[in-house]
Amino acid sequence: MTDHQAPPPATAKEVRLLGRRTAQRATVLAALVAHGGFTSAQALHARLSATGERVGLSTVYRTLTALADAGRADLVRDPGGERRFRYRPSAEHQHYLLCRHCGLGVPVDAVLVEAWAARITETCGYADVQHTVELTGTCPDCRTGARGT
């Protein structure tokens, strides 16, 4: 899925992954799903506030972190170190090529990365290994100035 395709709607099961089930957490989940791409907690909070939703910034942070911990949100850091989240429609781990200018995230085929991580894990005798691979660059639109960044 790219940032331009609509993600599937959030389910009640996903809301249960968030721990304490509240209307505010469900609202944050729905906003993340509707956004479709990577966003920061502050940007998502601002979007919710602009639409009249009364959700605290700390609730947004906690909800996004809970989603990432449950494997239902991908997490990357932008060049400034800020965490950016993207709804993950399945529990399958994803890697992204992220534009450092506009934040566009494109999923990439990472079979070789996954095989490498599994081989290193096995060789070293570790278990329950998690990894993050961040690929950043400039998307075609930003490279040509089409996005106006």
Side-chain angles (χ1 to χ4, degrees):
M1 171 170 55
T2 67
D3 281 345
H4 305 292
Q5 295 173 331
T11 66
K13 180 181 177 187
E14 288 168 319
V15 174
R16 284 192 293 272
L17 291 173
L18 302 177
R20 202 168 139 234
R21 289 176 272 175
T22 65
Q24 290 83 11
R25 285 185 166 213
T27 297
V28 172
L29 173 60
L32 184 64
V33 170
H35 180 68
F38 283 101
T39 188
S40 68
Q42 287 100 347
L44 195 60
H45 179 259
R47 190 172 296 112
L48 288 167
S49 295
T51 62
E53 295 290 344
R54 296 183 51 126
V55 178
L57 181 57
S58 61
T59 298
V60 174
Y61 271 110
R62 282 193 305 271
T63 303
L64 293 175
T65 300
L67 282 168
D69 290 346
R72 296 316 299 250
D74 291 313
L75 169 65
V76 297
R77 293 200 182 264
D78 68 16
E82 184 175 21
R83 296 183 310 164
R84 296 171 52 91
F85 298 86
R86 177 181 174 154
Y87 173 72
R88 186 188 304 169
S90 73
E92 183 180 319
H93 179 69
Q94 283 280 345
H95 294 283
Y96 295 89
L97 182 56
L98 188 66
C99 179
R100 69 176 64 94
H101 301 283
C102 71
L104 175 69
V106 178
V108 296
D109 181 7
V111 172
L112 294 174
V113 171
E114 297 300 329
W116 171 81
R119 188 173 64 249
I120 295 297
T121 298
E122 183 178 328
T123 300
C124 295
Y126 277 63
D128 300 321
V129 171
Q130 298 177 354
H131 65 273
T132 301
V133 176
E134 293 184 15
L135 303 169
T136 62
T138 304
C139 74
D141 285 348
C142 288
R143 203 170 65 238
T144 63
R147 287 192 199 255
T149 57

